């Protein structure tokens, strides 16, 4: 007897472009039968007539490191069909951490998406092994796949020192990478546009990535530039992959600034590298705007020593003037957002402020806030950073939808929301975010598959499931097959819709009917259940 039987639906198994009619049977946490199950009894039957039955979606790029531990319900994920979050992206992570650098890391995380948790948060671990053990003992409604963040490794070893790592420091960091991979990390991420990644040269990165070739795993990078120097940044990533022998994955692939309209050229570079034998994959989010920290507008040297030092420098007139100059005119090797945007004050808007008394900045552009303050754009930014201790997130509109569509339509592109799991209620309901936190996967299905028909539903599901599962090395996940884990999403192709907007992001997607995680029903009839069935999917669990 089956525990659950899904009947009448169209199976999109993660592999095939087109769907096929079949029933699906679940016992425990596994799929045990696919076919005509009309005569097979089941404890519960779900009628999926008129709906698509798919593997549960894997969000390839998230910052849910702390949010899943804060609110285990993972509401915005379940309502968007997601059953697995990949954490530790962009070189931004929560482990390892030492007592000497704990506050440095906490303060820094507070400026990033991952640390956009109202109030104070704590890190209840020291080693990476202890962090993974904490996840195991505090499960969420979705599965968690851990990446090791290079930023956390460097802060653990060097704090926010700007200098080149010594051979001894590199050896220490390599030992930490090896220990994390042995503990269960599936790869190593970097964020070379953020600190301390900006302080990290390709020699250091190549040395760390050699551990991936030894212990298994892949190198995933937020490249050093996604603007005017994007091709040079891609070449750097390729060099690290070649020198280390590690497979390469590019996070949120995009073109901006002078390269708008040239997404095809970047994809050609990727194809050329593949033909030369480099294992390269990539993901994207399906939006023309991105989200980052207001502090990301600051030159790298201003952050040396950590967030507190940056705030102190803003209080010194000479340094404040130097910061202003570098923001306006840029520095060699630094992706400065401001010179690449026309009317940057109008194209940068505040989405989230965690400082009490300043929530009225949310939803306004920098230009609007500067006008209210009676000052210019730069002084407004400085005032906001000081008042909030840099705990402000912004939206930057910098891409063209034609480029997004070109990258998304590539047969091998994967999808990542570049967000943390949220909710419309509770503590995380106080956090405003980019609409991608709520509607990324619904947007792909609605906009690019249903309305614009740039891809089929089957192709969209492959980007959500089989492709990321293969890159992550997940075993018996990402496809609907007998013997595979029962992570399943059922959606209505007629009603699927993204509801979240920039003006009102806290809206769940529409059209997802049922979500099953490891054989337990997490959503039924569009209503989330109390099930907390997610697991840590480390490389030790495979």
């Amino acid at each position: 007897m089956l525990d659950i039987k899904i009947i009448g639906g169209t199976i999109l198994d993660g592999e095939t472009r087109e769907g096929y009619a079949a029933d699906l049977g679940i016992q425990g946490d596994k799929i045990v039968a696919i076919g005509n199950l009309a005569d097979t009894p089941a404890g519960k039957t779900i009628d999926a007539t008129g709906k698509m039955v798919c593997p549960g979606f894997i969000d390839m790029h998230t910052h849910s490191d702390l949010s899943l531990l804060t609110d285990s319900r993972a509401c915005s994920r379940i309502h968007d069909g997601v059953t697995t979050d990949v954490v530790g992206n962009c070189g931004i992570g929560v482990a390892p951490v030492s007592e000497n650098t704990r506050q440095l890391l906490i303060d820094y995380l507070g400026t990033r998406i991952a640390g956009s948790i109202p109030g104070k948060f704590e890190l209840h671990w020291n080693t990476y092994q202890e962090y993974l053990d904490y996840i195991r003992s505090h499960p969420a409604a979705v599965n968690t796949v851990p990446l090791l963040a290079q930023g956390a490794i460097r802060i653990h070893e060097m704090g926010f020192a700007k200098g080149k790592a010594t051979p001894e420091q590199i050896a220490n960091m390599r030992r930490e990478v090896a220990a994390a991979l042995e503990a269960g990390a599936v790869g190593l991420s970097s964020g070379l546009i953020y600190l301390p990644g900006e302080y990290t040269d390709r020699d250091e990165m190549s040395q760390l990535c050699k551990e991936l070739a030894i212990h298994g795993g892949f190198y995933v990078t937020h490249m050093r530039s996604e603007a005017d120097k994007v091709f040079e940044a891609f070449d750097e990533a390729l060099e690290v992959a070649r020198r280390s022998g590690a497979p390469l994955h590019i996070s949120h692939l995009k073109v901006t600034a002078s390269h708008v309209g040239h997404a095809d050229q970047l994809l050609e570079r990727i194809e050329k590298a593949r033909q030369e034998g480099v294992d390269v994959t990539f993901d994207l989010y399906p939006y023309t705007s991105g989200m980052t920290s207001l502090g990301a507008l600051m030159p790298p040297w201003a952050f040396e020593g950590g967030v507190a030092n940056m705030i102190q420098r803003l209080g010194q007139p000479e340094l404040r003037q130097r910061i202003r100059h570098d923001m306006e005119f840029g520095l060699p090797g630094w992706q400065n957002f401001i010179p690449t945007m026309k009317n940057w004050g109008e194209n940068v808007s505040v989405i989230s402020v965690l400082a009490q008394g300043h929530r009225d900045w949310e939803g306004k552009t920098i230009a609007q806030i500067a006008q209210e303050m009676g000052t210019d754009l730069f002084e407004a930014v400085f005032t906001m950073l000081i008042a909030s201790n840099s705990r402000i997130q912004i939206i930057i509109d910098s891409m063209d939808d034609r480029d997004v569509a070109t990258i998304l339509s590539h047969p091998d592109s994967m999808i990542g929301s570049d967000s943390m799991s949220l909710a419309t209620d509770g503590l995380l309901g106080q956090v405003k975010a980019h609409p991608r936190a709520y509607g990324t996967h619904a947007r792909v299905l609605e906009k690019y598959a249903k309305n614009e028909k740039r891809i089929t539903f089957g192709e969209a599901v492959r980007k959500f499931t089989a492709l990321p599962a293969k890159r992550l090395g997940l075993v018996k996940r990402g496809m609907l097959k007998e013997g595979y884990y029962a992570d399943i999403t059922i959606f209505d192709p007629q009603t699927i819709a993204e509801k979240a907007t920039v003006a009102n992001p806290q809206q769940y997607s529409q059209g997802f009917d049922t979500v099953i995680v490891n054989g337990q029903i997490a959503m039924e009839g569009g209503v989330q259940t109390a099930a907390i069935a997610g697991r840590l999917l480390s490389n030790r669990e495979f």
Side-chain angles (χ1 to χ4, degrees):
M1 180 173 176
L2 300 172
D3 293 325
I4 301 172
K5 181 168 65 172
I6 301 171
I7 63 171
T10 298
I11 300 286
L12 293 175
D13 60 15
E15 284 187 302
T16 56
R17 186 175 185 274
E18 303 298 333
Y20 57 92
D23 303 327
L24 185 147
I26 299 169
Q27 280 184 344
D29 61 358
K30 298 283 180 56
I31 299 167
V32 296
I34 299 177
N36 185 348
L37 305 179
D39 297 328
T40 305
K44 182 176 183 62
T45 298
I46 297 172
D47 186 353
T49 301
K51 299 180 177 67
M52 304 288 191
V53 182
C54 322
F57 301 162
I58 300 168
D59 194 329
M60 189 63 185
H61 187 107
T62 87
H63 294 283
S64 299
D65 310 59
L66 294 171
S67 62
L68 289 176
L69 299 175
T70 300
D71 186 340
S72 62
R73 298 175 301 163
C75 297
S76 62
R77 298 296 192 241
I78 295 296
H79 284 83
D80 203 38
V82 173
T83 60
T84 301
D85 262 17
V86 182
V87 302
N89 281 284
C90 292
I92 302 166
V94 298
V97 60
S98 66
E99 292 308 315
N100 291 337
T101 60
R102 184 176 300 275
Q103 196 57 48
L104 277 178
L105 181 58
I106 289 174
D107 288 346
Y108 176 65
L109 290 170
T111 72
R112 313 308 313 160
I113 295 173
S116 297
I117 309 291
K120 294 182 179 180
F121 57 85
E122 296 180 4
L123 305 179
H124 301 278
W125 48 80
N126 291 310
T127 68
Y128 199 81
Q129 179 69 67
E130 290 170 350
Y131 164 56
L132 296 189
D133 289 342
Y134 192 87
I135 294 176
R136 290 188 183 96
S137 63
H138 295 77
V142 298
N143 301 310
T144 303
V145 178
L147 291 166
L148 172 66
Q150 180 265 339
I153 289 286
R154 202 175 205 268
I155 294 169
H156 177 67
E157 177 65 26
M158 301 174 61
F160 278 93
K162 184 180 179 181
K164 185 179 179 70
T166 65
E168 181 182 1
Q169 289 170 327
I170 289 177
N172 290 340
M173 288 189 283
R174 284 191 63 167
R175 279 192 290 271
E176 289 291 346
V177 173
L181 294 171
E182 286 299 307
V186 303
L188 174 68
S189 78
S190 71
L192 303 181
I193 195 174
Y194 302 126
L195 298 177
E198 285 183 298
Y199 298 154
T200 305
D201 61 26
R202 63 187 66 190
D203 293 333
E204 179 182 329
M205 202 68 245
S206 298
Q207 287 293 320
L208 299 188
C209 285
K210 286 181 179 179
E211 297 297 329
L212 297 168
I214 296 170
H215 298 276
F218 65 102
Y219 171 50
V220 51
T221 182
H222 179 153
M223 297 189 296
R224 201 173 296 275
S225 175
E226 296 174 327
D228 292 329
K229 300 293 184 180
V230 65
F231 293 112
E232 291 87 342
F234 179 66
D235 288 342
E236 177 187 5
L238 278 183
E239 181 181 341
V240 170
R242 288 189 172 112
R243 288 169 60 177
S244 66
L248 173 64
H249 183 85
I250 307 297
S251 294
H252 38 61
L253 190 71
K254 65 173 72 73
V255 289
T256 65
S258 61
H259 293 299
V260 167
H262 298 151
D264 55 339
Q265 295 180 20
L266 192 53
L267 292 173
E268 288 170 4
R269 292 278 191 106
I270 291 175
E271 289 304 318
K272 183 175 184 293
R274 286 175 163 179
Q275 292 169 8
E276 294 170 349
V278 183
D279 181 358
V280 187
T281 54
F282 58 94
D283 64 58
L284 76 154
Y285 50 79
Y287 297 86
T288 57
S289 63
M291 177 176 167
T292 190
S293 166
L294 183 65
L297 302 182
M298 302 287 283
W301 63 265
F303 260 102
E304 187 172 3
V307 177
N309 285 14
M310 184 267 288
I311 298 298
Q312 289 177 2
R313 290 183 180 109
L314 285 175
Q316 301 176 45
E318 290 185 5
L319 293 180
R320 189 177 180 118
Q321 187 59 36
R322 179 184 167 192
I323 291 170
R324 180 189 181 109
H325 176 275
D326 291 348
M327 289 173 66
E328 189 169 2
F329 299 103
L331 290 170
W334 171 43
Q335 182 187 310
N336 181 7
F337 293 101
I338 291 172
T340 64
M341 289 187 291
K342 295 180 180 179
N343 303 318
W344 70 273
E346 298 292 345
N347 288 322
V348 178
S349 58
V350 174
I351 189 66
S352 174
V353 181
L354 293 181
Q356 294 297 322
H358 299 292
R359 299 294 296 270
D360 59 313
W361 291 338
E362 293 179 345
K364 297 176 182 177
T365 66
I366 300 298
Q368 289 173 322
I369 295 170
Q371 185 176 25
E372 291 177 359
M373 290 181 177
T375 189
D376 65 24
L377 301 176
F378 296 98
E379 289 300 317
V381 169
F382 300 155
T383 299
M384 294 162 68
L385 287 170
I386 293 171
S388 66
N389 200 36
S390 193
R391 298 195 72 187
I392 294 180
Q393 301 299 312
I394 57 175
I395 287 181
I396 300 177
D397 193 2
S398 61
M399 290 168 272
D400 188 291
D401 189 57
R402 291 167 293 183
D403 287 321
V404 174
T406 295
I407 296 171
L408 188 142
S409 299
H410 190 283
D412 294 333
S413 63
M414 307 175 204
I415 303 298
S417 69
D418 197 4
S419 70
M420 69 177 186
S421 62
L422 291 173
T424 59
D425 63 352
L427 184 65
L428 297 186
Q430 301 175 32
V431 180
K432 288 189 177 180
H434 192 292
R436 65 194 186 190
Y438 287 86
T440 288
H441 297 84
R443 180 179 178 84
V444 173
L445 293 169
E446 178 192 20
K447 175 178 170 64
Y448 295 101
K450 177 184 174 182
N451 294 341
E452 299 183 6
K453 302 189 185 310
R454 295 180 181 274
I455 56 175
T456 66
F457 283 122
E459 289 168 336
V461 168
R462 179 171 175 265
K463 295 174 186 296
F464 301 160
T465 59
L467 285 179
K470 181 179 180 181
R471 171 46 93 201
L472 295 165
L474 303 183
V475 175
K476 294 186 177 181
R477 295 185 191 270
M479 289 185 282
L480 297 184
K481 288 186 175 183
E482 293 180 7
Y484 274 53
Y485 288 96
D487 291 343
I488 297 170
T489 292
I490 302 175
F491 71 90
D492 187 333
Q494 300 303 315
T495 62
I496 192 70
E498 176 196 23
K499 305 303 290 183
T501 64
V502 172
N504 186 10
Q506 293 172 298
Q507 299 184 80
Y508 294 131
S509 297
Q510 173 183 298
F512 290 103
D513 179 83
T514 301
V515 176
I516 298 173
V517 180
N518 294 311
Q520 296 191 37
I521 298 174
M523 172 185 279
E524 185 173 13
V527 179
Q528 187 167 355
T529 72
I532 302 294
R535 299 173 182 171
L536 175 70
L537 304 183
S538 77
N539 63 23
R540 300 297 121 193
E541 272 77 17
F542 298 166

